[in-house]
Amino acid sequence: MNLHEYQAKEIFTRYGIPVPVGALAASPEQARAAAKQVGGEKFVVKAQVHAGGRGKVGGVKLVEGFDAVEEAAKAMLGKKLVTIQTDAHGLPVNSVWVEKPSAIARELYVSAVVDRTLERVVFMASAAGGMDIEEVAHNTPEKIKHVSVHPAAGLQPYQARELGFFMDLTKEQVDQFTKIMLGLSKMITDLDCSLVEINPLIVTKEGNVFALDAKLNFDDNALFRQKEIANMRDPSQEDEREREASKFDLNYVTLEGNIGCMVNGAGLAMATMDIVKLHGGQPANFLDVGGGTTAEKVTEAFKLITKSPEVKAIFINIFGGIVRCDLIAEGIIQACKQTDLKIPVVARLQGTNMEKGRELLEKSGLKITPVSDLTEAAKTVVAAAQGK
Ligand code: ADP
Ligand code: MG
């Protein structure tokens, strides 16, 4: 689960990580009031969406005067912001954060992630912070230094200093930086964070170290014991279909392609996506309806897939182990009728009662092609999606 920058900054403050003074607004008038509360003449107006890369697309504006704050907020609010980190539809801007501008001398980069291979939290730092860190990581990875943290000992001050000196901070700045890093380390453990990113962490012209941006991700499996964090969730920033899917206990992830996949079991779902790609197709989603699925679940899953206008063909790949293929076929037929399906469906049903299942599909009179061989099925659905 993700938070907005303003929420993450509020949490940072609790852990002694300095951030600029700011206030939240959901309307242009509120933005003016927020600016008055912040004080001063110049302000930074920042669109609140669950994505970075805002600075490059007009989602972060430095303005002077209250009128300009109101105008900037008006230009952002109610729109969708498309950044390098969102899909082509973008994310809705429902609030803006109005904050005091900092006099930036240097922009640094700091992050921490749970490294599953090392089974440890790894901190990363780079002097090349700011908006192009992805390029730094790609072209000059030696400019990013890593330290991994022993889970029992936690981040040690010497490790923080090592990162600080790597970024050419002065001794005073290293002291400030170390405090920030120890705060981050405690926060990660306390709140079950899976990722923290401060980009940029700045050194001000006065020589102070500040977090100008804040990104926090949390481990969804820990949210049951992080009630406060769970309550900070903003569903408007999440994929509508993924939200819908979680209601029916379906594992669903939206992807970029045009072949809707409905599969039971995560492993089979992965293999299905692989084989679709191998034959030149692009999956529109990952969907695991679960091992012990029911006709109702199949219907819901089907509705979900057909909601995407991008989907040009549907690939059903079910292994009837615990579930029976004839029940699945009934679910598919029901769903096709309910959704007034116009696109081709290729169904591969294998396992318990597969003959009965196939027979039901064939008799249904619907545009469903049963194929029993996986490679053959993948080729058929790829061709169908291309209109062949
Ligand atoms: P994003 O990562 O989404 O582009 P950031 O919060 O990192 O958004 O802002 C982008 C850039 O805007 C920063 O790298 C920084 O140069 C500038 N910026 C952001 N907040 C402030 C601020 N309070 N004062 C001065 N400059 C800022
Ligand atoms: Mg940033």
Side-chain angles (χ1 to χ4, degrees), residues 169-181:
L169 295 179
T170 64
K171 190 184 166 300
E172 289 72 28
Q173 290 160 6
V174 167
D175 288 345
Q176 292 183 45
F177 178 74
T178 304
K179 266 202 198 125
I180 292 175
M181 295 300 278

Side-chain angles (χ1 to χ4, degrees), residues 46 52-54 130-131 197-200 212-214:
K46 308 179 80 173
R54 298 164 300 166
M131 295 196 263
E197 189 183 64
I198 308 179
N199 187 30
L212 270 211
D213 194 3

Side-chain angles (χ1 to χ4, degrees), residues 278-348:
L278 183 69
H279 294 289
Q282 292 294 339
N285 67 283
F286 168 94
L287 172 60
D288 165 19
V289 293
T293 194
T294 58
E296 286 70 36
K297 252 172 124 175
V298 169
T299 312
E300 289 310 325
F302 219 81
K303 283 192 200 159
L304 209 65
I305 294 176
T306 50
K307 261 188 198 158
S308 314
E310 301 82 28
V311 174
K312 299 291 178 247
I314 297 178
F315 187 9
I316 298 167
N317 189 12
I318 299 284
F319 177 71
I322 305 168
V323 344
R324 285 167 23 208
C325 292
D326 54 327
L327 279 186
I328 297 287
E330 273 170 24
I332 296 170
I333 294 165
Q334 220 179 80
C336 286
K337 287 185 177 151
Q338 282 183 23
T339 53
D340 184 26
L341 193 77
K342 298 239 160 44
I343 54 176
V345 179
V346 175
R348 175 177 178 265

